[in-house]
Amino acid sequence: MTTTEMPAVNECTVTGCSYNHDGCHAFAITVSGEDGAADCATFIPLARKGGLPRAVAQVGACSRSDCVHNRELECTAPGGVRVAPGEGGHDANCLTYTRG
């Protein structure tokens, strides 16, 4: 079995996410979405904070196959990704998403 180091979630500014308290505390996030948006599918809008007490979140999966950083549904973004609130009905977006 081989282990691949996935890109880290370097920044998350989505204040309404349960996993975000002084940084993302999810073990890994999933990036999904459609219509040009790369949504953080791990976003959970609850007042209760969750996740691991000490974590460097990473990108566990990415279904945005049109992103230049996507290789076989895995994120290869050099230097990690940034997550922030999106426009319209998108609560959390991967800002590193780049349509290829």
Side-chain angles (χ1 to χ4, degrees):
M1 182 171 146
T2 61
T3 303
T4 302
E5 189 171 319
M6 303 306 292
V9 177
N10 292 330
E11 176 185 17
C12 180
T13 59
V14 181
T15 57
C17 182
S18 296
Y19 286 112
N20 186 9
H21 40 103
D22 297 321
C24 184
H25 284 258
F27 179 74
I29 69 165
T30 298
V31 177
S32 65
E34 54 189 40
D35 299 327
D39 297 329
C40 176
T42 311
F43 170 79
I44 297 176
L46 298 176
R48 182 175 180 183
K49 297 298 181 183
L52 302 172
R54 296 178 58 184
V56 176
Q58 56 190 352
V59 181
C62 179
S63 64
R64 291 309 313 241
S65 59
D66 60 339
C67 181
V68 299
H69 303 296
N70 190 322
R71 300 288 182 273
E72 298 178 356
L73 302 179
E74 302 294 338
C75 181
T76 62
V81 301
R82 293 174 42 238
V83 177
E87 295 182 20
H90 302 279
D91 294 306
N93 286 143
C94 176
L95 299 183
T96 311
Y97 165 76
T98 306
R99 185 177 291 218

